Every structure is written in C-alpha cells, then in structure tokens.
Amino acid sequence: MVNVIRRFQQPLLIALTVVVIIAFVILYGGPGARLDGLSKESVGKLYSRDVSPLEYRNAAKQFDVCRMLGMFDVIIPMAQNSRTMQDAVDHYAWNTLILRKEAAALGIHPTENEIAEAIRRLPAFQKDGHYDHSRYEMAMQTALLPRGISPTQFEEIIRDSLRLQAIRDAIAASSTPSKDELTTAYRRQYQKVEASAVRFSREEVSKSITVSEDDLKQTFEARKENLKTSEKRKVDVAFIAMPKVEKDGPRPEPEAIQKLADKASDLAAAVQEPGANFEEAAKRFELEVKTTAAFEAGDRLEELGNEPRISLAAFKLTQEKPFSEALGSSKGYFILRLKEVEEAKPLTFEEAKARLQESILKDRTRETLTLKASEARKKLEESLKAGKSFADAATEAALKAEAFEAFSRSESKITGADATLIQNSALDLEEGKISSPLESADGMVLVYLSKRLPIDPEDVEKQKAVLSPMLETQRTDGLLGEWIERRRLSAGLTQSANSESRPTAP
C-alpha cells in the first residue's frame, strides 16, 4: 500500500518509488532480519499456528517506536503490568498479534483516511497545534528507517493503535461511575486530614556508628565469593553514519536512508558467512574497523555512539556467535565483533575495603534507625492510650513532633524530601493511628493521623466534572486489561523455550 501521507502530498512518481522500497523492506524486515527470514524456527503458537521469529520481531520492534513517539496510550495496555523492559516488549509483541486477529473478528478495519488523520494528530508531529509534515519526514529519516521501520510498517503501528482505541471505546460505553464511586473518589482525592510526624535523621545516626578493621575483615570473608570486578569487553566496530543534516538544511531522501539500512544489513549478513573476515568484509563496503577500549555493560563510548544500548548489545555476543546484527540508532548503524572478554575477577581485601565500609555503614544505619523508630512508636502508642495528645506523647519520649496544616492528595503544603511519603501514609491511616517506621531519603519517619475533616456535599458535586472522566478512564483501563488477558487465554498462546529466537529489549 502506498504510504498515505505521501500519497496525499507528493507526486505519483515518488510514491511509486517508495512502494518499491517498502516492498523490499517488507520482504526482508529491515536490518538484521534477513537471516530471521530464512529461519524455520518458531517462537511460539497463537490460534494453533506457529509464529516465526520474523513475525514476532516485526511486532516487537514497534514497541521502541511507540515509546519514542510518546504513544503511551498504546504501550501501557499492550505491555500490561510488566516488571522489566524485556517483559514489556514481550507482552507488547504477543498482544499486538492477538489484537490484529481479534479486531478483524470484530469487524474493526481502520481506513487509510483514519490512519492519515491519526498520524496528523500525533503530538510528535505537531507544531503550534498543527500538523507539521517536516517533523514526520525528520522522524522517518532519522529515527524510524534506521530502526528498520518503513512508512508502511509505521502505518501498521497507527492501524494497531486505532484497533485498540475502537475496542477501548466500546468498553468505555459501559463505564459510567455510580454516585457512591464518585463520593469514594472525592474522599480519596479531596478530603482533608490533620496529621503529624516524627522524623529520625539518618545523618545523625550514621555519625554514631563505627566500623572496625575486624568488622571489615569478617564481612570480607563472608562475602568474598560475590566481591568481584565487573566484566569488561572489547569489540571491533564497523560504523555506517547517517548523513549529516545542517540546521534548516535539506533532509536526506528516504531512498538514501534505505540504502544505508541495506548496506548495514548486507554487511551483517556477510560476516555471518563461514570463514568470513570482518576487516575484509568491512573494506568491501568501504568501512573502517575500529577497536574499543575495555568497557562495562551500559558504558557510553564514542566508538559506539555514546549509546548505552549499543554497549549492552556487545555483552550478548559470545565466542560462538561473535557478530552482532546491524544495530540501528539515530546516528547510524553499528556492526560489532566480540574481540576480547575481560572476565570478572575476585577483589582483594584492600580493593573491596571502601565498598565494604560503605555497605556495612549503610546496613547498620538502617538497622539502628528502624530499631529507634520502632521503640519510639511503642512509647507513643502507650502514651496515646493513656489519653495524651500526640504532641505531648512525643515530648515525653524526647522527640519532636511536627504538626501539618490540613491537607489532601490534591492540596498540600508539606515540604521536604519525605513530603509525599508523609502525605500518602497519613491518607491511608485510620484516625488515631501511627504508621509503621517509614524509610525516607533522609532517614525514618512516623506518621500520626489526628482526624479526617468533614466533606462538603456541594464541593463533591462541583468536582464531578473532574472525577467522572478519571473514574471512567480507570474502569475502562481495567476492563481493557481484562479483555486482553482473556484474549491471550483464548488464543492459546504458548511461547518457545528457545528465547534466543526472540529479540531482546531495545
């Protein structure tokens, strides 16, 4: 399909040229996918059919594009409650494949005009409240094409977002909150409370703690198996730079960007051939091979574009598989060869001493703070049971209580690094209760809730305009998450144990 934005804005001849480029990219799936396209492996099953690594990869790489363009209304439901970036990519990919199947079954088929309009509405392509086509072109040339995303593949991302929105809209039609739900939400957000707190300073406690030489030696003996240097690596790098763009100068044509992507993919494929020589292969493509200094995972190196993502990719290489695929970035493409691995080695006592000193001091400070706050809490509770006020109870325990002006979640004048901690803790307490010791940036804190102030029925009505959409969104998000989970179950999703077939998180 001809890219809809170009079809409406550029001559037919250019559009036809783009079709040829897109067809090429679809066939091979962008840099790094050519070898995947030849693979007979399956990364899992959906609806009783095998899912190839290429199909999975094409869905997974959309995650990075959505994140880059701020499409979090797509990422959040599709990535579900992921704990790691890899889980988020994995959930996104599988849920995207499921979404396409289910949307088709529901008769949801976004039109080309709807896709074009959705692209125009993306905040990333807006300037002064209006669609700016130059921003689309810039994103395509400097961010999307280098990641192996063609205009047609980008349209598929937009099509997926429209499919998801159509399902969300259907669910939202039955998500009107009740009066009780509005009142509960009002209390949580706007009802004010009166509270106090007692703080325990980490700095003061830390000053009273000493760590002896014997402490360090004993701890070293207990932990020495895990006290090691970080693994370091050296890699050879062939780099294909993106064309330099002067400020306000002409942008590179998509065809030029695609040629660079093809060049990177060709080199990545060439070095995988048996007996291939990295330097000779790079020379055929008129590229220089540079060797990095030893670095740790996530380090920023000039030879790797100062991008932690590229240096992390080096730590996935092995002696058996020393070459990377073409790693795209806004600066260009990197093809890596593992040159040297500097294994992690045990630290000597002298090398580990400073680290141990800091660790022991931190642990003992936390233990002392927790004990001190727990003992204080017990004394305060006994005094409160005897009928004393929280302020008097604190004074009796040689503590300083700080009373706060009445506050709510939406309005608070509490200051300090622990302000949010105090606010949230107080709002979740019962009247007359003291929190458990809470660790803050500065130490520990105990929070006491004196009372909850009465709510104003008139203000409840006034805030409905704010609360109703918020509750509708929360309920819709919850129901959408349940719908996705049920669809996963009905699709019979099973994932291959061979995780190497699936791409890793960007």
Side-chain angles (χ1 to χ4, degrees), residues 41 238 386 412 442:
E41 294 182 35
S412 174
D442 297 330

Side-chain angles (χ1 to χ4, degrees), residues 35 266-276 320-325 336:
L35 296 178
D266 288 339
L267 175 57
V271 297
Q272 298 287 350
E273 296 175 0
E320 293 74 26
K321 296 181 178 179
F323 296 102
S324 75
E325 61 182 22
L336 312 181

Side-chain angles (χ1 to χ4, degrees), residues 186 190 456-468:
Y186 177 88
Y190 297 103
D456 181 358
E458 291 185 4
D459 196 44
V460 175
E461 291 298 317
K462 178 182 175 182
Q463 298 296 343
K464 274 186 177 180
V466 176
L467 293 172
S468 290

